[in-house]
Amino acid sequence: MARQLSQEDLALVVKRATELHVAGTGHTPDPMLDEAAVLEVLREAGVSADAAGQALLEWRRGNLATGLALAAPPPRTALEPTAAVARQLPIAPERMADVFDAAMKRHLFIRGRRGGLGGHWLARSGVFADLRRGLDFSGSLLLKDVNRLRLEVLPAAGGHCRVTVTADISHYRGKLVAMLVGVPAVAAVGFGIGGLAESSLELGLIGTPLAALTAGGGYRGASHFLERQREKTREALDIVLDRLA
């Protein structure tokens, strides 16, 4: 019995068949097809003319583009409190900031300083915002741990735009460092001072290297948890941009 192919399977088979064709003939096929050729391919695949025509119409309008993922700038250090994503979106560059602003209002952010076609957004403060975040039982607020956002916009082909969104998670980083580095190090130093107060030179001498060792372990732990938070933030930003597209 012949196996059935999903849409993903079909795409993989077509891609591999093209690679084999190129390898066998030594000629690279024209990567572009006109609309008549696309309609013929769809007809031979058993797709109705109405469905094929509607799909092409939506493609011309840009409705089939959900946003091409691009390489985003990575953090420069293990404890840099930023997370970034980049996309090409089917949105006019001059409209991008307003579209983004409308989405950010739903996540309790207000527009701040503008920069080119983009700008900055700050987490809204106040009793209402704090109460809304605390009552977010459904998890609809995707950016609760973000302090601010920076949107950079560049024009792209076809009237689209390339955007980079960078989230500042310094508040989360501060809590991590205080808990995993500061508190244990202070405790170790206090241990050494307590030893000196008790006239124990051995305990006094142990305190300083113990503090350094504890702080080093806390730094690695903080780096690990911060990267997990970056990944969570990048996922949230991707969801936001998916909804924009």
Side-chain angles (χ1 to χ4, degrees):
M1 181 178 178
R3 293 177 57 189
Q4 293 185 331
L5 283 75
S6 66
Q7 292 182 346
E8 291 78 8
D9 294 331
L10 177 60
L12 290 173
V13 170
V14 171
K15 180 176 183 295
R16 180 57 178 157
T18 303
E19 293 172 348
L20 293 172
H21 173 78
V22 173
T25 63
H27 298 292
T28 302
D30 187 350
M32 306 298 290
L33 296 173
D34 60 28
E35 292 189 14
V38 171
L39 289 173
E40 179 62 22
V41 169
L42 293 174
R43 185 190 65 78
E44 292 181 359
V47 177
S48 70
D50 289 343
Q54 177 64 30
L56 274 175
L57 178 62
E58 292 179 8
W59 171 75
R60 290 191 209 102
R61 292 174 176 172
N63 295 340
L64 302 186
T66 58
L68 175 66
L70 305 173
R76 292 167 293 183
T77 65
L79 285 182
E80 182 179 7
T82 61
V85 297
R87 291 282 191 90
Q88 179 168 315
L89 297 174
I91 299 173
E94 62 274 11
R95 292 187 56 244
M96 184 62 216
D98 291 334
V99 172
F100 190 74
D101 183 53
M104 288 302 97
K105 287 179 180 176
R106 295 193 292 271
H107 293 281
L108 301 181
F109 279 79
I110 59 173
R111 194 168 186 171
R113 180 169 52 87
R114 302 196 178 201
L117 294 171
H120 294 76
W121 277 257
L122 309 177
R124 188 181 295 275
S125 60
V127 175
F128 170 78
D130 293 340
L131 183 63
R132 176 68 182 87
R133 293 187 184 98
L135 296 177
D136 183 36
F137 302 122
S138 63
S140 60
L141 299 177
L142 300 175
L143 304 169
K144 288 189 289 187
D145 294 316
V146 174
N147 300 100
R148 67 172 60 213
L149 294 162
R150 183 175 75 251
L151 173 69
E152 299 171 271
V153 183
L154 292 174
H160 295 182
C161 65
R162 292 174 176 262
V163 303
T164 300
V165 182
T166 304
D168 179 346
I169 51 175
S170 56
H171 182 65
Y172 182 87
R173 194 268 307 266
K175 292 191 296 184
L176 273 181
V177 171
M179 181 176 62
L180 297 179
V181 180
V183 172
V186 169
V189 170
F191 176 77
I193 294 174
L196 292 175
E198 295 293 330
S199 300
S200 173
L201 181 60
E202 292 83 0
L203 291 179
L205 293 176
I206 288 173
T208 300
L210 181 61
L213 194 62
T214 304
Y219 178 87
R220 288 190 293 272
S223 300
H224 170 72
F225 284 110
L226 186 60
E227 180 53 37
R228 287 177 57 180
Q229 183 64 24
R230 282 197 199 100
E231 187 58 36
K232 177 182 175 181
T233 303
R234 284 190 287 260
E235 183 178 0
L237 292 174
D238 276 329
I239 293 172
V240 170
L241 294 182
D242 282 344
R243 293 174 179 176
L244 294 184

